[in-house]
Amino acid sequence: MKITDLRCAVIGKHPIVRIVTDEGLHGLGEVEYTKPYLKPWVLHFREALIGEDPTDVERVMLKIRQRGSFKPYGAAVSAIEHALWDIAGKAAGVPAYKLLGGKVRDKVRVYNGSIRRKRTGDRPQDYAADVKWMMEQPQNFFMIKQGISFHSNMKDTIDGFHYGVTQNKAGYHGAMDQGVISERGFNHMLDCVIAMKEVLGDKVSLALDCGPGWMLPDAIKFARAVEKYNLMWLEDMLTGDYVPWVNPQAYRELTTSTSTPIHTGEQIYLRHNFKELIETQAVRVIGP
Amino acid sequence: MKITDLRCAVIGKHPIVRIVTDEGLHGLGEVEYTKPYLKPWVLHFREALIGEDPTDVERVMLKIRQRGSFKPYGAAVSAIEHALWDIAGKAAGVPAYKLLGGKVRDKVRVYNGSIRRKRTGDRPQDYAADVKWMMEQPQNFFMIKQGISFHSNMKDTIDGFHYGVTQNKAGYHGAMDQGVISERGFNHMLDCVIAMKEVLGDKVSLALDCGPGWMLPDAIKFARAVEKYNLMWLEDMLTGDYVPWVNPQAYRELTTSTSTPIHTGEQIYLRHNFKELIETQAVRVIGP
């Protein structure tokens, strides 16, 4: 079997990758929504794929895997890998997971990271109402992840939230809001956590998506302040998301300063770049 | 002054960036040749720049710097910064270097890394003739950098050079030839070094661009074998060039095993990603 074409269509804002073969089979891959601009990135790899056998997934990937990088550049390469596995599964007449070691469990826990309605505001009562609505959703989530700080509008809507420069948005992740968080901003976040925990109790767990952009002292202070609330994790406080570096040494200092689990990883491409983060236990939770 | 447009033309294979302002000034930036495909990457940042004051270089860069990454993705962002500095210098009526701390020295040594003619082959006598021609060039280079191993054709033209899989080329850096180098391949490289040093003596120094793609044991063995030839450096043996990770721990092991200076860096974007390489002295020479 040979690859005859690589196509990419933007549906909604998702770039959808389609790999076409000379035997009528095709494979589909999908990039996360909010990245319509990745279409030319995906198509850049077309010439490298034509003529290859898509069922030799690793052989094909060796031609292009090196050209991914920190988020978002790895996404274009990874979506192509998804489409290759899709073809390999179809060609073998089995679900793709059978080619990846087979099934280990029959169900997985999922937390709410994306079912949202517009929040009424960024005050503690708004956050409380928001998680109340979420915990009443039919999926019966065991955990809710909520954005605060630089990963939320409160950095703009809460007066004097931080001392950094507010970036004019360019329509895509590119600028990072960052800086020292004021005492008022700090207390505001804490009030939001308390308000959410009053609603959630110990029935539904809470995790916070926090940045990136915190200064290390603020991160340490906040992680300690919320210890009694048993959060599942604090995500991307220092680096993460679209940041093209990891700084695992700083994460290690944060992690060892607190019992609150610290989390990062979604900006990282390839296991090579997770190496130090894992080996030094710089974070407690990896979110690839 | 405000930015009114960002343009990009591919001249030869160089993407040339032009930032236009409402005061008639414009700034130029240039991406290395061989990267014509970066034009859409450059233009991706257009909307973030329109309306900004180009003479506030750092403020503008804070909007887009985060969107670079390992080579080649940093190049699009850096070329824009070049063009901003060009405008800032013109607006101030001084050369851009005056805004960057001013001149330190009046001349710099330059080595030959790019003045080339097609080599007659990949045998030791071909390498010897090649450096003889180079040392006779009018620039009077104090040092010549030569490609060997995975950074040359010898990996394909010397029968049995290595035990890795030879990648079909896709017209751009994307696949990395790599693997264990055979005893024959090892001796061939050593013969090439000896032949070049016989020509160069101690009049013109020699550095080798080597990969990436070596296994660590081969790299250690080779670095030790050439110690007596006083090479200026061995570049990119393990990672480097278009590799989206650094692996400084492995470089540290290589560096401490030999007196031959070890070099990497051109794949790295931002000082944050040089941090561990420098602080642990994982290499002796940094080539940003």
Side-chain angles (χ1 to χ4, degrees):
Chain A
M1 192 188 313
K2 293 207 180 310
I3 296 171
T4 56
D5 204 2
L6 168 72
R7 299 175 194 170
C8 185
V10 176
I11 299 177
K13 289 184 168 183
H14 296 261
I16 307 292
V17 179
R18 187 174 180 217
I19 295 178
V20 185
T21 69
D22 60 356
E23 296 189 9
L25 286 180
H26 70 265
L28 294 172
E30 181 184 1
V31 177
E32 189 186 19
Y33 83 104
T34 73
K35 300 195 184 75
Y37 57 81
L38 278 188
K39 180 175 174 176
W41 271 252
V42 170
L43 294 175
H44 182 60
F45 299 108
R46 183 175 179 276
E47 64 178 315
L49 301 175
I50 304 290
E52 294 291 318
D53 183 340
T55 65
D56 291 329
V57 176
E58 182 63 15
R59 183 189 290 184
V60 180
M61 289 306 297
L62 280 172
K63 300 189 73 177
I64 66 169
R65 190 178 284 124
Q66 198 187 335
R67 279 295 288 274
S69 194
F70 285 108
K71 185 179 180 178
Y73 305 108
V77 176
S78 296
I80 291 171
E81 182 163 5
H82 294 166
L84 292 171
W85 282 114
D86 189 24
I87 294 174
K90 287 171 176 168
V94 297
Y97 71 77
K98 288 287 189 190
L99 305 175
L100 295 164
K103 191 186 285 188
V104 174
R105 56 187 71 80
D106 290 305
K107 52 183 181 179
V108 291
R109 289 186 182 277
V110 293
Y111 67 81
N112 182 13
S114 65
I115 293 177
R116 296 285 186 265
R117 62 172 186 180
K118 190 169 167 49
R119 198 167 44 233
T120 48
D122 300 310
R123 299 162 302 173
Q125 57 266 43
D126 300 313
Y127 270 91
D130 201 31
V131 297
K132 183 168 188 300
W133 176 82
M134 288 184 195
M135 72 189 295
E136 290 166 351
Q137 294 308 298
Q139 294 84 358
N140 201 25
F141 291 112
F142 82 104
M143 173 188 135
I144 287 165
K145 187 166 83 178
Q146 192 65 286
I148 63 158
S149 185
F150 298 116
H151 200 88
S152 74
N153 290 327
M154 69 169 66
K155 66 179 183 285
D156 301 320
T157 59
I158 303 303
D159 195 43
F161 179 80
H162 71 115
Y163 302 122
V165 174
T166 298
Q167 296 293 334
N168 293 319
K169 300 308 178 288
Y172 58 81
H173 285 75
M176 178 162 72
D177 289 293
Q178 59 186 329
V180 173
I181 293 171
S182 68
E183 187 173 0
R184 183 191 296 180
F186 188 93
N187 289 336
H188 178 80
M189 288 190 292
L190 210 50
D191 288 344
C192 288
V193 170
I194 292 167
M196 287 191 282
K197 286 298 291 185
E198 278 174 5
V199 171
L200 296 169
D202 61 4
K203 292 192 287 298
V204 177
S205 297
L206 181 65
L208 299 179
D209 207 346
C210 303
W214 296 55
M215 302 292 104
L216 182 54
D218 287 343
I220 291 171
K221 196 167 66 165
F222 189 76
R224 285 189 173 159
V226 297
E227 283 176 352
K228 71 178 101 162
Y229 302 111
N230 299 310
L231 301 183
M232 292 295 275
W233 67 67
L234 298 174
E235 181 170 339
D236 287 352
M237 298 185 100
L238 310 176
T239 63
D241 215 349
Y242 286 76
V243 179
W245 68 88
V246 179
N247 210 351
Q249 304 92 336
Y251 266 117
R252 168 88 185 145
E253 188 168 344
L254 171 57
T255 286
T256 56
S257 76
T258 178
S259 64
T260 304
I262 304 299
H263 170 303
T264 197
E266 74 180 56
Q267 81 277 29
I268 298 170
Y269 180 65
L270 299 180
R271 66 192 188 283
H272 312 73
N273 292 305
F274 280 103
K275 188 170 176 281
E276 187 180 358
L277 208 53
I278 294 171
E279 288 179 352
T280 67
Q281 297 207 41
V283 292
R284 299 293 186 213
V285 187
I286 291 283
Chain B
M1 194 189 311
K2 293 209 181 308
I3 296 172
T4 57
D5 204 1
L6 168 72
R7 300 175 194 169
C8 185
V10 176
I11 299 177
K13 290 184 167 181
H14 296 261
I16 306 292
V17 178
R18 186 175 180 217
I19 295 178
V20 185
T21 70
D22 61 356
E23 296 190 10
L25 285 181
H26 69 265
L28 295 172
E30 180 184 2
V31 177
E32 188 186 21
Y33 83 104
T34 73
K35 299 195 184 77
Y37 56 83
L38 278 188
K39 180 175 174 176
W41 270 253
V42 171
L43 294 174
H44 182 60
F45 299 109
R46 183 176 179 278
E47 65 179 311
L49 302 175
I50 304 289
E52 294 291 319
D53 184 339
T55 64
D56 290 329
V57 177
E58 182 63 14
R59 183 191 289 184
V60 181
M61 287 307 296
L62 280 172
K63 300 189 74 178
I64 66 168
R65 189 179 283 126
Q66 198 186 336
R67 279 296 289 275
S69 193
F70 285 108
K71 184 180 181 180
Y73 303 109
V77 177
S78 296
I80 290 170
E81 183 163 5
H82 294 167
L84 292 170
W85 282 115
D86 188 24
I87 295 174
K90 287 170 175 169
V94 296
Y97 70 78
K98 287 286 187 190
L99 306 175
L100 296 163
K103 192 186 284 189
V104 175
R105 56 187 73 78
D106 290 306
K107 53 183 181 177
V108 291
R109 288 187 182 276
V110 293
Y111 67 80
N112 182 13
S114 65
I115 292 178
R116 296 286 187 264
R117 62 173 185 180
K118 190 169 168 50
R119 197 165 47 232
T120 48
D122 301 309
R123 299 163 302 173
Q125 58 265 43
D126 300 313
Y127 270 90
D130 201 31
V131 296
K132 182 167 189 300
W133 176 82
M134 290 185 193
M135 72 189 295
E136 289 167 352
Q137 293 308 299
Q139 294 84 0
N140 200 24
F141 291 112
F142 83 103
M143 175 187 133
I144 288 166
K145 187 167 82 177
Q146 192 64 286
I148 62 157
S149 186
F150 299 116
H151 201 87
S152 73
N153 290 327
M154 71 169 64
K155 65 179 183 284
D156 301 321
T157 59
I158 302 303
D159 195 43
F161 179 80
H162 72 114
Y163 302 123
V165 174
T166 298
Q167 297 291 335
N168 293 320
K169 301 307 178 289
Y172 57 82
H173 284 76
M176 178 163 71
D177 290 293
Q178 59 185 329
V180 173
I181 293 171
S182 67
E183 188 174 359
R184 183 191 295 179
F186 188 91
N187 289 335
H188 178 79
M189 288 190 292
L190 210 49
D191 288 343
C192 289
V193 171
I194 292 167
M196 287 191 282
K197 285 299 290 185
E198 277 174 5
V199 171
L200 297 168
D202 61 3
K203 291 191 287 298
V204 177
S205 296
L206 181 65
L208 300 178
D209 207 346
C210 303
W214 296 55
M215 302 293 103
L216 182 54
D218 287 343
I220 291 172
K221 196 168 64 165
F222 189 75
R224 285 188 173 159
V226 297
E227 281 175 353
K228 71 178 100 166
Y229 301 111
N230 299 310
L231 300 184
M232 293 295 276
W233 67 67
L234 298 173
E235 180 169 340
D236 288 352
M237 298 186 101
L238 310 176
T239 62
D241 215 351
Y242 286 75
V243 179
W245 68 90
V246 179
N247 210 353
Q249 305 90 339
Y251 266 116
R252 168 89 184 143
E253 188 169 343
L254 171 57
T255 287
T256 55
S257 76
T258 179
S259 64
T260 304
I262 304 299
H263 171 304
T264 196
E266 74 179 57
Q267 81 277 29
I268 298 170
Y269 181 65
L270 300 179
R271 65 194 189 280
H272 312 73
N273 292 305
F274 279 103
K275 186 169 177 282
E276 187 180 358
L277 208 54
I278 293 171
E279 288 181 352
T280 68
Q281 298 207 39
V283 292
R284 298 295 186 211
V285 188
I286 291 283

